Amino acid sequence: MDRIASVSCARLRWALLGTRVARFGLGPLGARAKASLPNALPAAEAAEAPGTGPGDRRLRSLEELSGPGQLRFLFQLLVQGYLLRLHQLQVLCKAKYGPMWISRVGPQTHVNLASAPLLEQVMRQEGKYPVRNDMDLWKEHRDLQGLPYGPFTTQGHHWYQLRQVLNQRILKPAEAALYTNALNEVVDSFMVRLNEIMAESDSGDQVPDMAQLFYYFALEAICYILFEKRIGCLERSIPQDTVAFVSSVGLMFQNSLYATFLPKWTRPLFPFWKRYLDGWNTIFSFGKKLMDQKLKEIETQLQTGGPNGVQISGYLHFLLTSGQLSPREAMGSLPELLMAGVDTTSNTLTWALYHLSKSPEIQAALHEEVVGVVPVGQVPQHKDFAHMPLLKAVLKETLRSRPAFSFPCSLYPVVPINSRVIMEKEIEVGGFLFPKNTQFVLCHYVVSRDPSIFPEPESFQPHRWLKKSEPDSFGVQHPFGSVPFGYGVRGCLGRRIAELEMQLLLARLIQQYKVALSPETGEVKSVARIVLVPHKNVGLRFLQRPC
Ligand code: HEM
């Protein structure tokens, strides 16, 4: 733990997945490939691409795939500003090249996939130890500080073993349900803070920056679950180290963009690399402090009551006392969980309320559903959500339209992009044969806007997620059309916690308030910052409903 003490930290460089553009070099992209490229396969044909039919097994190769040349791609990213709008660049690329195209930056080649059948083909072929991407930039920080890798940075058998341990007490819905009381405690504090902020506004009912308030809520909630410690994010005055943690997350993410795109030799010349490392270091210091407190607590319990005196309560406590994770290993993993669990949930909540405030009929139906199950004055419990299909549908629709997770360059929606490297074998996808180690970028943002799967994809229609038997449902047509928490054994570790946390808070807000956009908010667009975030403050009004 002493070694750990010297460390620093991180948030999610989720971004560096898919369209991950690592160090560059400006070699021209295979002109041959471009010239020979058929305008890529329309989505519907992708699964039945030429050469994949039973009678025709000629599989095309990577070189036959089209895409923007390397210089053009860099121009789009760096000059035209698509670096922060990669999801939009992917929309343009799909229109030009079809649902599968190639992009290159320096030595890195990415095969971009933008149709549900193509995503399905790759995901279903992943092996026992799926790889998202190499996470080099994050690993560099851990190596420099002598820190162990966590679930994002570890690969192979070691990752598998780590996940076996971390999955406990968090992965299954019934396990997540154990945190209901803790989460409700944080929701209580949130409601108090909400009222304080509203009282400070001129109209007495406005919150000027909803995303910031949800950020503090999500941070408070995940810290309470992971470290069993309230850290004061929802107090009037937020503790200094919590403020430092929050700004270091921003520091790390912003500077990781430059650290990703600028060659290594420029690191001493510009401040980005140092700021990137400083950001991570503060994040890890924050995690270490919380861990130290927990270790001390366990030690005291051991001293006073012996092994039987230790009260196993929350997640970290369980991991440490079960003997499956050493404090050092926990120090590598917990900050990564912390990073994963804040922007994702807070942005999903922000977008959900934004959409609901723009859709009064849906909000009215949701209010009716919520108070039908949990009347005003009662606090929602885990079991209640089995009777709230519309609430779940609102969250699913939010995650479809504003995905919350982006790996490529730390850039997007509530996950607009993810990726996979298939390491074990060559694989066939959409009529092409790809060599081992091909990096596939899964363009979720584009796929979740495919009108053949989601009619009127730009409109917010939670009813599309209701069971076919429910009134107004029109059923979702492809299981890989929207996969906001990823897929398979490498899928999101915190999914059930995130769902429960969002359901508990959203239900409580809708139970008590009618939510409306504040007059100055207007239309809000998304920009990619690892997750898709609002391009400006989302101001909301909370109008108390009659009891
Ligand atoms: C709305 C909320 C969230 C969304 C949309 C989300 C989405 C995702 C996605 C798409 C992945 C990649 C999965 C894949 O590659 O197949 C992921 C991974 C991960 N998530 Fe989440 N997540 C959310 C909340 C959380 C929370 C609250 C936690 C912490 C408890 C968390 C912890 C993780 C971890 C540790 C991984 C890496 C798993 C691995 O590589 O083994 N996530 N998440």
Side-chain angles (χ1 to χ4, degrees):
M1 285 304 290
D2 284 339
R3 209 144 79 133
I4 291 163
S6 66
V7 178
S8 6
C9 64
R11 187 190 208 168
L12 287 186
R13 181 194 145 208
W14 305 78
L16 287 176
L17 273 198
T19 339
R20 171 132 195 280
V21 193
R23 287 14 50 234
F24 32 105
L26 302 182
L29 189 157
R32 215 185 80 216
K34 191 169 181 188
S36 65
L37 282 177
N39 249 1
L41 327 167
E45 292 169 26
E48 293 291 329
T52 59
D56 174 6
R57 297 304 300 159
R58 191 190 80 78
L59 294 172
R60 287 183 275 174
S61 70
L62 189 69
E63 286 69 37
E64 293 176 78
L65 206 48
S66 59
Q70 188 156 206
L71 277 176
R72 181 176 167 72
F73 187 47
L74 284 171
F75 180 79
Q76 289 172 320
L77 291 178
L78 302 176
V79 182
Q80 293 186 309
Y82 281 107
L83 188 56
L84 290 176
R85 294 178 287 125
L86 260 183
H87 54 305
Q88 287 167 2
L89 182 58
Q90 293 183 343
V91 174
L92 300 180
C93 285
K94 182 176 181 185
K96 183 159 183 191
Y97 307 110
M100 179 161 35
W101 69 92
I102 195 168
S103 52
R104 289 194 173 119
V105 178
Q108 304 260 341
T109 299
H110 297 113
V111 175
N112 300 268
L113 303 176
S115 86
L118 290 175
L119 296 195
E120 179 168 15
Q121 284 179 41
V122 168
M123 299 296 232
R124 291 211 191 275
Q125 293 186 70
E126 68 180 17
K128 188 174 176 191
Y129 311 130
V131 173
R132 207 172 295 115
N133 83 347
D134 51 26
M135 304 298 285
D136 275 348
L137 209 60
W138 285 28
K139 287 200 278 195
E140 265 193 82
H141 166 261
R142 310 300 189 271
D143 293 345
L144 280 170
Q145 302 295 340
L147 284 168
Y149 295 161
F152 279 97
T153 33
T154 312
Q155 308 295 359
H157 184 62
H158 189 249
W159 162 81
Y160 184 80
Q161 285 179 318
L162 183 63
R163 272 296 295 247
Q164 296 310 301
V165 175
L166 295 177
N167 284 350
Q168 299 170 75
R169 293 264 176 137
I170 202 165
L171 193 64
K172 297 186 187 140
E175 291 163 338
L178 299 172
Y179 302 103
T180 306
N181 289 344
L183 285 170
N184 269 330
E185 213 182 289
V186 181
V187 174
D188 288 342
S189 305
F190 176 90
M191 300 303 271
V192 172
R193 186 71 196 120
L194 180 79
N195 277 288
E196 287 168 358
I197 293 176
M198 290 193 302
E200 286 161 15
S201 72
D202 290 345
S203 59
D205 59 16
Q206 286 197 39
V207 176
D209 183 357
M210 215 48 225
Q212 191 194 48
L213 186 55
F214 279 143
Y215 187 92
Y216 282 125
F217 164 76
L219 181 57
E220 186 75 22
I222 198 69
C223 282
Y224 200 27
I225 286 179
L226 297 179
F227 301 100
E228 303 147 68
K229 174 113 184 94
R230 295 296 303 268
I231 59 164
C233 288
L234 297 167
E235 302 292 316
R236 268 181 197 273
S237 166
I238 300 172
Q240 201 42 50
D241 58 345
T242 304
V243 174
F245 170 83
V246 173
S247 56
S248 66
V249 171
L251 192 76
M252 186 282 285
F253 272 127
Q254 283 153 20
N255 288 284
S256 71
L257 270 184
Y258 298 100
T260 300
F261 283 96
L262 291 172
K264 278 189 184 173
W265 61 264
T266 63
R267 287 177 181 174
L269 305 179
F270 300 114
F272 311 121
W273 180 245
K274 183 177 177 308
R275 287 186 193 149
Y276 167 76
L277 294 179
D278 286 348
W280 272 121
N281 288 343
T282 309
I283 296 165
F284 270 87
S285 306
F286 185 78
K288 179 181 177 336
K289 192 175 146 200
L290 293 169
M291 269 197 53
D292 284 348
Q293 286 171 356
K294 176 51 63 186
L295 282 167
K296 210 166 159 194
E297 202 180 287
I298 297 173
E299 223 170 86
T300 312
Q301 285 179 1
L302 273 169
Q303 276 165 7
T304 50
N308 295 335
V310 178
Q311 306 283 317
I312 296 179
S313 45
Y315 187 64
L316 177 60
H317 205 150
F318 167 76
L319 293 176
L320 292 173
T321 50
S322 69
Q324 297 174 75
L325 208 65
S326 69
R328 186 180 139 72
E329 286 165 329
M331 190 57 226
S333 289
L334 274 273
E336 290 192 3
L337 265 68
L338 195 61
M339 303 299 300
V342 182
D343 289 88
T344 44
T345 27
S346 61
N347 277 293
T348 307
L349 283 164
T350 306
W351 287 120
L353 278 200
Y354 171 74
H355 286 301
L356 286 172
S357 63
K358 286 172 62 98
S359 318
E361 313 80 37
I362 297 172
Q363 194 182 152
L366 182 60
H367 174 250
E368 201 178 309
E369 176 181 273
V370 170
V371 294
V373 181
V374 187
V376 180
Q378 289 182 24
V379 174
Q381 298 299 321
H382 180 261
K383 63 178 173 35
D384 296 323
F385 300 115
H387 310 289
M388 295 190 199
L390 185 55
L391 182 83
K392 291 181 180 172
V394 163
L395 290 169
K396 281 186 185 166
E397 181 66 348
T398 305
L399 284 162
R400 175 195 72 81
S401 55
R402 313 275 180 173
F405 186 87
S406 160
F407 268 92
C409 298
S410 7
L411 312 178
Y412 295 109
V414 191
V415 189
I417 296 175
N418 197 354
S419 73
R420 282 292 185 274
V421 185
I422 306 295
M423 307 194 70
E424 292 90 348
K425 53 177 183 172
E426 299 183 308
I427 70 161
E428 184 187 329
V429 181
F432 287 76
L433 187 65
F434 294 101
K436 278 186 195 175
N437 293 323
T438 300
Q439 172 98 47
F440 292 99
V441 177
L442 315 174
C443 304
H444 292 303
Y445 179 87
V446 185
V447 174
S448 61
R449 277 170 170 66
D450 183 341
S452 69
I453 302 176
F454 302 105
E456 299 176 46
E458 295 299 329
S459 72
F460 182 74
Q461 299 187 26
H463 288 83
R464 66 172 101 239
W465 293 100
L466 296 178
K467 283 197 192 124
K468 288 209 176 97
S469 53
E470 306 258 356
D472 300 334
S473 154
F474 36 82
V476 170
Q477 290 170 20
H478 198 290
F480 285 77
S482 175
V483 278
F485 293 98
Y487 171 82
V489 284
R490 190 119 211 190
C492 178
L493 176 71
R495 172 182 185 160
R496 301 303 175 188
I497 292 287
E499 286 172 341
L500 180 62
E501 184 183 324
M502 295 188 296
Q503 288 163 357
L504 289 168
L505 182 55
L506 199 54
R508 194 89 77 90
L509 286 170
I510 294 298
Q511 182 196 46
Q512 296 186 22
Y513 297 103
K514 183 174 175 189
V515 186
L517 277 188
S518 57
E520 60 282 359
T521 296
E523 199 62 31
V524 182
K525 296 186 195 129
S526 2
V527 289
R529 289 265 155 75
I530 310 291
V531 298
L532 287 188
V533 301
H535 83 290
K536 60 177 180 179
N537 285 353
V538 177
L540 295 177
R541 297 180 65 200
F542 289 84
L543 311 168
Q544 185 78 49
R545 291 188 183 267
C547 294

